[in-house]
Amino acid sequence: MRIAGHSTTVRLEEAFWQVLDEMALREGLSTSRLISVLYEEALERHGVAPNFASLLRTVCLLYRGMIPPEG
């Protein structure tokens, strides 16, 4: 996939890919585009995304309501 114009890979367990696919469908985006948007938002907010796979896992858990969002 391409993130911020760069070809890259993201290694996640299948369960997380399923959640990302569901999120993308709900937002009317491809999964790749959703991941790009999440990356761009992480950069805007924090300036870096050093462990992007962990960020994606956290987003999936937040989406599923398994951990409460920070206020």
Side-chain angles (χ1 to χ4, degrees):
M1 92 178 56
R2 296 186 74 75
I3 298 177
H6 301 284
S7 187
T8 190
T9 56
V10 177
R11 299 183 77 125
L12 296 172
E13 296 77 10
E14 181 60 29
F16 292 108
W17 285 114
Q18 290 174 5
V19 174
L20 289 168
D21 288 343
E22 180 184 324
M23 291 172 63
L25 183 64
R26 186 175 184 159
E27 294 295 321
L29 302 170
S30 69
T31 302
S32 295
R33 181 65 190 132
L34 173 70
I35 290 170
S36 291
V37 168
L38 293 170
Y39 181 80
E40 291 163 8
E41 288 177 1
L43 289 182
E44 272 182 34
R45 190 165 209 168
H46 304 288
V48 295
N51 194 340
F52 190 58
S54 287
L55 181 136
L56 291 175
R57 286 181 184 96
T58 302
V59 166
C60 289
L61 292 174
L62 287 168
Y63 178 78
R64 287 287 190 204
M66 297 179 80
I67 56 177
E70 290 184 12

